[in-house]
Amino acid sequence: MADGAEEGRGAMGPLDIGRVMAALPHRYPMLLVDRVEDLIPDRSITAIKAVTINEQFFQGHFPGRPIMPGVLIVEAMAQAAGILAVESLGLAGSGKLVYFMAIDGAKFRKPVEPGVLLKLEVEFVQKRSSVCKFSGRATIDGQLAAEANFTAMIADPPKA
């Protein structure tokens, strides 16, 4: 990753689970980012999802051959993107939410099994005040497990 100096702000990280939870509204069992290794505002993020056999989805996907569902791998990348957007746009603590708008070119290359550290690498492709485009990759020990491009909208939470 680049050093981020061109934007005038340096890299951040690592960010622990407390900081992750401050940036995202997700909670167990839907919080799929455990740690941020590196975050370069306006550019990229590298985060980690520790995949354990205790995940609820392994009870049924698949008994005898537990594999993390592809949609949850994409969701983990999207949550990393959400942290990147919130931190880059200065929205931490604002209550703003990051919603999926589109997922393009999702490809799954390697099964994600319990006991691995899933590395989530996401970069901005385009950044505007309310709509952002991202490119994401999920790897295990340097091997590509999944990749996708996605678009998200930043909006206020629904009125109570």
Side-chain angles (χ1 to χ4, degrees), residues 1 12 24 44 54 62 71 77 98 106 117 123 127 139 142 145 158:
M1 289 188 184
M12 302 165 54
L24 294 175
S44 63
N54 297 324
F62 300 103
V71 295
M77 288 188 285
V98 182
L117 293 178
E123 296 181 346
K127 181 172 63 77
T139 61

Side-chain angles (χ1 to χ4, degrees), residues 13-114:
L15 307 179
D16 65 12
I17 190 64
R19 184 77 178 267
V20 168
M21 291 174 72
L24 294 175
H26 305 78
R27 296 298 179 260
Y28 178 83
M30 283 305 298
L31 181 60
L32 299 175
V33 174
D34 294 312
R35 177 181 177 86
V36 172
E37 294 291 314
D38 187 47
L39 188 153
I40 302 172
D42 304 310
R43 185 170 297 165
S44 63
I45 186 171
T46 301
I48 300 294
K49 164 63 180 151
V51 182
T52 72
I53 193 64
N54 297 324
E55 311 281 354
Q56 286 185 330
F57 51 80
F58 285 135
Q59 293 176 32
H61 198 264
F62 300 103
R65 178 71 161 97
I67 298 172
M68 185 175 184
V71 295
L72 294 180
I73 299 168
V74 174
E75 174 66 21
M77 288 188 285
Q79 288 182 20
I83 297 167
L84 175 61
V86 163
E87 293 291 338
S88 295
L89 298 170
L91 300 174
S94 70
K96 297 278 189 184
L97 298 176
V98 182
Y99 293 108
F100 261 135
M101 290 178 67
I103 303 168
D104 297 306
K107 295 180 181 154
F108 304 95
R109 307 290 188 191
K110 176 182 173 86
V112 176
E113 300 171 317

